[in-house]
């Protein structure tokens, strides 16, 4: 189902220098879309349009059929949850528990339900033992999880995660990847803004590459993330598996296709060892 | 928010005013702010403003100033309204004068800050004998004003995304909402200042009691001319302000306004 539709969106902060130059993009539920590109490509500016924090100067953005210009951010946030890059910009309550309850209260969840939801979310994010502590006393990784938890608590249909893996260690990164996959299985739409090609390879169904305020390439992750030219044009580097496959091909190893994930490469190599084409 | 703070944000341009030594520009700042404070009538303040705008035009920065004025308009309107409603006599004249004085003062500072880079300012402060700890403190606080504005914007974005209606509600709700904004802002800025302090020390700040400046400030002909002109004009303004001629000038303006 089409959740967010951006149609020919133009935007500039100062009215002079364009940041978005006619972006058209669809976000669907039950799917993970990775938005990638170098710094300044317009990724964060674009996702801010998805909750109405910014309104297009030209073109329009529809969130479940509602034009973002006709709704407040708080109204749109009911359907689209946005988690910012820096958790310190989002946390302010006295305790971890209140941090989650704050969002639930804003979203009109009745008190007895809110308690139960808060307990469940804090357990899910491994934060239950900190419930009475100040959010500022948590570690960076924990603060990031709390920021995520406070938005996920009210169960929006679409989640926008801005650089969810920035500053996270490998262990937490895989945890976030599992979380994103879990959200997708529950039918949520997930937009991930990221530079991290390996993370995108792990979680994304679809990838949109941005450069100079435009979407320069969009398609299934398994096609876009192995396209060396498009990846280079967006100033990213190939993920390791397609890069390894490319090296093998250069050395004359006949692969039937360029795989994106380790399993794919493994299958190719096994087929070769078994003799002949897979 | 950010547009208001834009009045004081330096932009590198090559104009006679930008090239002036920061100490010369400081003299101009002193002239304009002193004139704005001691002159007590509409016509003279208009003259001050005209001179300031002329300088801004020379510095090709009138556009930035005008835009920021829009952001300040609420404050100006408040000064105007509160004074008009509470003053016992000469209400319109005095209210207009006070509002204009506010504009003249902010413009004086924006002439200075729009054309003076923070590092130039630091060099000038150190050249006039201020210890480096203080000059760094001063320039850093300027440097972080736009960052502060940006952080505030991000925090309010994040709160709105979590369903807080910042635009709506009565006075009490609004005040409470602002505490939601201030707590993360203060914590975040404190954290950042600690980090910057550590980074400064890690880069050797404070290791030597005295450091040689790399840039030597030299006053040129234009700088001396600007300083001399500013001092002369300031002396003239002060002298004229306390003559009976000035009193008569004010009375003339008051008579035009009559009972308003």
């Amino acid at each position: 189902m089409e959740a967010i539709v951006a149609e020919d969106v133009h935007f500039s902060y100062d009215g002079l220098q364009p940041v978005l130059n006619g972006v058209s993009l669809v976000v669907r539920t039950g799917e993970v879309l990775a938005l990638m590109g170098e710094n300044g490509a317009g990724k964060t500016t674009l996702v801010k349009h998805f909750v109405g924090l910014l309104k297009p100067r030209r073109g329009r953005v529809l969130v479940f059929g509602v034009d973002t210009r006709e709704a407040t951010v708080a109204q749109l946030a009911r359907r689209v949850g946005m988690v910012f890059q820096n958790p310190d910009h989002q946390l302010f309550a006295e305790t971890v528990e209140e941090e989650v309850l704050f969002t639930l209260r804003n979203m009109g969840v009745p008190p007895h339900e809110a308690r139960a939801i808060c307990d469940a979310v804090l357990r899910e994010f491994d934060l239950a033992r900190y419930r009475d502590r100040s959010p500022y006393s948590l570690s960076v990784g924990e603060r990031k999880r709390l920021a995520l938890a406070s938005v996920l608590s009210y169960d929006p249909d679409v989640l926008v995660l801005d650089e969810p893996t920035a500053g996270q260690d490998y262990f937490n990164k895989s945890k976030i990847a599992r979380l994103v996959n879990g959200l997708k299985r529950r039918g949520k739409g997930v937009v991930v803004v990221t530079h991290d090609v390996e993370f995108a390879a792990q979680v994304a169904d679809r990838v949109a590459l941005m450069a100079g305020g435009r979407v320069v390439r969009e398609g299934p992750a398994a096609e876009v993330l192995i396209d060396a030219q498009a990846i280079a044009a967006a100033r990213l580097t190939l993920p390791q598996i397609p890069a390894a496959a490319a090296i093998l091909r250069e050395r004359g190893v006949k692969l039937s296709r360029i795989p994106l994930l380790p399993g794919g490469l493994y299958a190719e190599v096994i087929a070769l060892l078994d003799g002949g084409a897979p | 928010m950010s547009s208001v703070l834009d009045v004081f944000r330096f932009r590198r341009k090559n104009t006679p005013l930008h090239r002036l030594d920061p100490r010369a520009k400081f003299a101009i700042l002193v002239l304009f702010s002193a004139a704005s404070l001691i002159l007590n009538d509409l016509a003279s303040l208009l003259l001050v403003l005209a001179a300031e705008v002329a300088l801004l035009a020379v510095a090709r920065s009138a556009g930035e100033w005008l835009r920021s004025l829009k952001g300040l308009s609420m404050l100006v309107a408040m000064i105007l309204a509160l004074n008009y409603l509470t003053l016992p006599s000469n209400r319109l004249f005095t209210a207009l004068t006070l509002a204009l004085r506010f504009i003249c003062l902010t413009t004086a500072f924006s002439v200075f800050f729009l054309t003076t880079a923070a590092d130039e300012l630091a060099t000038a402060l150190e050249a006039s004998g201020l210890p480096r700890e203080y000059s760094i403190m001063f320039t850093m606080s300027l440097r972080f004003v736009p960052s502060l504005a940006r952080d505030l914007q991000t925090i309010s974005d994040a709160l709105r995304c979590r369903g807080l209606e910042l635009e709506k509600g009565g006075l009490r709700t609004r005040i409470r909402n602002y505490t939601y904004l201030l707590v993360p802002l203060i914590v975040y800025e404190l954290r950042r200042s600690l980090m910057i302090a550590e980074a400064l020390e890690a880069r050797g700040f404070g290791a030597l009691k005295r450091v040689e400046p790399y840039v030597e400030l030299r006053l040129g002909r234009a700088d001396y001319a600007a300083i001399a002109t500013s001092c002369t004009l300031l002396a003239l303004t002060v002298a004229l302000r306390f003559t009976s001629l000035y009193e008569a000038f004010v009375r003339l303006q008051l008579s035009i306004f009559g009972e308003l």
Side-chain angles (χ1 to χ4, degrees), chain B residues 80-87 91:
Chain B
L80 208 62
L82 284 177
N83 281 299
Y84 185 73
L85 293 174
T86 53
L87 284 168
R91 301 194 304 175

Side-chain angles (χ1 to χ4, degrees), chain B residues 45 99 174 222:
Chain B
L45 283 173
R174 278 182 190 231

Side-chain angles (χ1 to χ4, degrees), chain A residues 48 51 53 72-74 77 82 84 86 88-92 99 102-103 105-107 136 143 150 154, chain B residues 67 150-151 154-165 167-168 179-180 183-185 187-188 191:
Chain A
K48 281 189 175 171
V51 250
L53 284 170
T72 66
V73 175
M82 171 130 179
F84 285 66
N86 190 337
D88 292 348
H89 282 138
Q90 302 165 66
L91 307 175
F92 63 90
E99 200 65 63
F102 169 79
T103 322
R105 194 168 59 235
N106 288 333
M107 296 297 171
Y136 294 110
R143 290 207 294 276
S150 74
Y154 70 91
Chain B
R67 232 174 302 144
R150 214 173 28 238
D151 290 337
T154 313
I155 292 166
S156 102
D157 282 356
L159 283 172
R160 283 154 73 205
C161 281
R162 284 169 68 192
L164 191 71
E165 292 275 11
E167 298 95 340
K168 284 187 194 161
T179 63
Y180 292 146
V183 172
L185 187 72
V187 172
Y188 187 71
R191 270 215 172 115

Side-chain angles (χ1 to χ4, degrees), chain B:
Chain B
M1 188 72 207
S2 61
S3 79
V4 177
L5 297 167
D6 265 1
V7 215
F8 304 126
R9 210 170 75 213
F10 172 72
R11 289 168 180 80
R12 217 163 280 280
K13 284 176 189 167
N14 193 9
T15 74
L17 209 63
H18 283 77
R19 281 194 299 270
L20 227 49
D21 187 282
R23 287 166 289 184
K25 279 182 273 197
F26 187 71
I28 298 175
L29 171 66
V30 172
L31 164 70
F32 280 138
S33 36
S36 313
L37 287 172
I38 60 169
L39 293 171
N40 229 343
D41 69 291
L42 213 48
S44 323
L45 283 173
L46 274 173
L47 202 67
V48 172
L49 187 64
E52 289 171 341
V53 172
L55 277 185
L56 280 168
V58 171
R60 284 191 273 122
S61 304
E64 282 99 339
W65 169 74
L66 214 63
R67 232 174 302 144
S68 60
L69 210 57
K70 235 192 291 173
L72 289 174
S73 55
M74 270 299 286
L75 218 54
V76 174
M78 239 163 72
I79 295 174
L80 208 62
L82 284 177
N83 281 299
Y84 185 73
L85 293 174
T86 53
L87 284 168
S89 61
N90 298 326
R91 301 194 304 175
L92 187 61
F93 178 77
T94 316
L96 280 173
T97 306
L98 288 173
L100 189 60
R101 173 181 288 164
F102 174 71
I103 296 175
C104 283
L105 262 178
T106 49
T107 310
F109 279 90
S110 85
V111 168
F112 183 75
F113 285 113
L114 277 173
T115 60
T116 312
D119 48 336
E120 269 178 21
L121 194 60
T123 322
L125 286 172
E126 282 164 45
S128 23
L130 192 76
R132 193 147 167 264
E133 286 86 0
Y134 294 95
S135 77
I136 281 233
M137 204 165 77
F138 183 69
T139 51
M140 278 221 181
S141 53
L142 283 181
R143 145 76 184 78
F144 281 104
V145 166
S147 315
L148 208 75
R150 214 173 28 238
D151 290 337
L152 196 60
Q153 184 65 53
T154 313
I155 292 166
S156 102
D157 282 356
L159 283 172
R160 283 154 73 205
C161 281
R162 284 169 68 192
L164 191 71
E165 292 275 11
L166 278 174
E167 298 95 340
K168 284 187 194 161
L171 190 66
R172 268 183 55 194
T173 334
R174 278 182 190 231
I175 290 172
R176 202 190 51 219
N177 287 349
Y178 276 106
T179 63
Y180 292 146
L181 274 176
L182 283 180
V183 172
L185 187 72
I186 292 168
V187 172
Y188 187 71
E189 301 311 332
L190 278 178
R191 270 215 172 115
R192 172 145 75 188
S193 61
L194 287 176
M195 243 149 60
I196 290 167
E198 284 176 354
L200 277 175
E201 279 185 302
R203 285 161 67 187
F205 181 78
L208 295 175
K209 263 272 154 290
R210 255 211 91 66
V211 290
E212 284 296 310
Y214 286 158
V215 193
E216 200 74 66
L217 285 177
R218 256 194 217 102
L219 292 169
R221 248 211 234 120
D223 301 316
Y224 282 119
I227 294 173
T229 318
S230 300
C231 291
T232 318
L233 284 175
L234 183 58
L236 231 87
T237 314
V238 174
L240 274 176
R241 164 70 179 78
F242 299 102
T243 56
S244 52
L245 197 68
Y246 180 76
E247 307 284 320
F249 185 51
V250 176
R251 270 199 302 279
L252 177 74
Q253 290 177 59
L254 279 173
S255 68
I256 296 170
F257 276 85
E259 288 301 300
L260 287 168

